[in-house]
Amino acid sequence: MPSSVDDRVLDFYAQLFEVIFSEPFRGQISERRKLNPVIRQVEAAADAASSSLTRFFLNQNTFS
């Protein structure tokens, strides 16, 4: 079980972006060499989104 806020947010966005973006692309792009960069870009976007939300949560704790 993730213990830190960062771990929880990373896991949340990884799962969310997998379902919303990665899975549909897997059904549409059959060539693995073309699919892998797309999946990596989706993962990078999930990481960026998780960084923003983590900063938000940490700032909320600072100001509370």
Side-chain angles (χ1 to χ4, degrees):
M1 181 96 208
S3 57
S4 73
V5 169
D6 194 39
D7 286 340
R8 289 183 216 173
V9 172
L10 281 166
D11 291 344
F12 170 77
Y13 273 106
Q15 186 176 27
L16 179 67
F17 277 50
E18 174 72 22
V19 170
I20 293 175
F21 300 111
S22 297
E23 284 302 318
F25 285 126
R26 282 191 173 91
Q28 295 178 8
I29 304 172
S30 59
E31 194 175 328
R32 191 168 173 197
R33 193 166 307 278
K34 291 181 180 179
L35 176 63
N36 286 347
V38 172
I39 299 301
R40 283 192 288 273
Q41 287 180 329
V42 168
E43 290 169 347
D47 287 346
S50 68
S51 293
S52 295
L53 188 58
T54 298
R55 279 192 305 275
F56 172 79
F57 284 143
L58 293 176
N59 285 334
Q60 290 299 313
N61 282 340
T62 302
F63 296 117
S64 296

